[in-house]
Amino acid sequence: MVRASSPTAALCDPYLAIDHVEEVVIVMMGMSLPSAVVASVGDPRFASLELDLGEGPGWEAVRSGQALAVADRTTRDERWPALSAAVAHLRLASAPLTAAPLSLAGITVGAVEVTGGPLTPAEAGALHDLSASTALLLMALAVHDSALERSENPYSRRVVHQATGMVLRAFRLSSQDALVLLRAHAFTQGKPLVDVATDIVERRSTFLSASP
């Protein structure tokens, strides 16, 4: 099995453990963040074209919230005419491709695309299971502390801590991962962390209803 050669590309390693997966590309798209290829093992040009053109199986997976399989990434597809035309000039090897959204708690941060061979139902299930943990890792990369989060107000710190505990229990996460998810939720809402935390603590938010 091919292994990733850098710390960022190591995000791909769990996917490479799935039978029939030979190449992996992890893409950031969504959350009002600049779209980018975050990690790859194999040829990332197909995913890069998707980002440039705004169409393709990765975008479709993000928009629909569902995994999408194509029999051959090099075959012309009427759903993505610009991508199909551009791919024709890349001389990519023919290969089945599956794109899956990277989502957790209703927050989608990107997509993972794997190629190699058609996935069995069990392998597709493994791909889905990995996507939530990868989404959390991308959230940690994308969302950082802000001045609003570093408030000296004791109430602010207390309510964020309380909301983090509620997220921890709802989604069965560590305290660190729960705080990352809470920050990502605040980012997507365009609100200060303390305001989102207060809404959760006072039961005005439906965020926890997205828990499994």
Side-chain angles (χ1 to χ4, degrees):
M1 180 179 66
V2 176
R3 284 285 179 180
S5 58
S6 71
T8 304
L11 290 170
C12 301
D13 279 346
Y15 297 95
L16 294 169
I18 300 173
D19 288 342
H20 297 124
V21 171
E22 297 175 2
E23 297 185 1
V24 183
V25 181
I26 295 172
V27 183
M28 179 88 76
M29 51 175 71
M31 286 185 64
S32 301
L33 293 168
S35 298
V37 173
V38 176
S40 66
V41 172
D43 191 338
R45 291 180 296 164
F46 184 90
S48 295
L49 273 180
E50 289 182 88
L51 294 181
D52 291 342
L53 298 172
E55 63 180 37
W59 284 110
E60 185 65 26
V62 166
R63 290 167 183 148
S64 68
Q66 301 291 327
L68 177 70
V70 295
D72 186 347
R73 62 183 175 182
T74 65
T75 299
R76 185 172 185 83
D77 194 311
E78 294 181 356
R79 292 172 292 181
W80 312 302
L83 178 65
S84 294
V87 166
H89 299 287
L90 288 185
R91 296 184 179 179
L92 288 174
S94 298
L97 180 146
T98 300
L102 299 174
S103 303
L104 180 63
I107 301 172
T108 301
V109 295
V112 57
E113 296 185 353
V114 300
T115 58
L119 300 184
T120 66
E123 291 164 355
L127 182 69
H128 176 270
D129 292 343
L130 287 170
S131 64
S133 59
T134 305
L136 193 58
L137 290 169
L138 291 195
M139 289 177 195
L141 289 173
V143 181
H144 305 284
D145 292 346
S146 69
L148 290 171
E149 294 181 26
R150 296 192 297 270
S151 171
E152 295 301 319
N153 185 328
Y155 169 77
S156 297
R157 295 196 299 272
R158 186 167 63 251
V159 75
V160 169
H161 179 75
Q162 187 175 354
T164 300
M166 294 171 71
V167 172
L168 178 156
R169 290 189 294 275
F171 295 98
R172 303 184 187 94
L173 300 171
S174 68
S175 58
Q176 182 177 356
D177 288 346
L179 181 56
V180 168
L181 182 57
L182 186 61
R183 286 175 174 156
H185 176 54
F187 184 91
T188 61
Q189 296 297 304
K191 295 180 178 181
L193 179 63
V194 65
D195 290 356
V196 167
T198 300
D199 287 344
I200 290 174
V201 169
E202 296 183 358
R203 309 289 181 177
R204 294 195 299 265
S205 171
T206 60
F207 179 59
L208 298 184
S209 65
S211 61

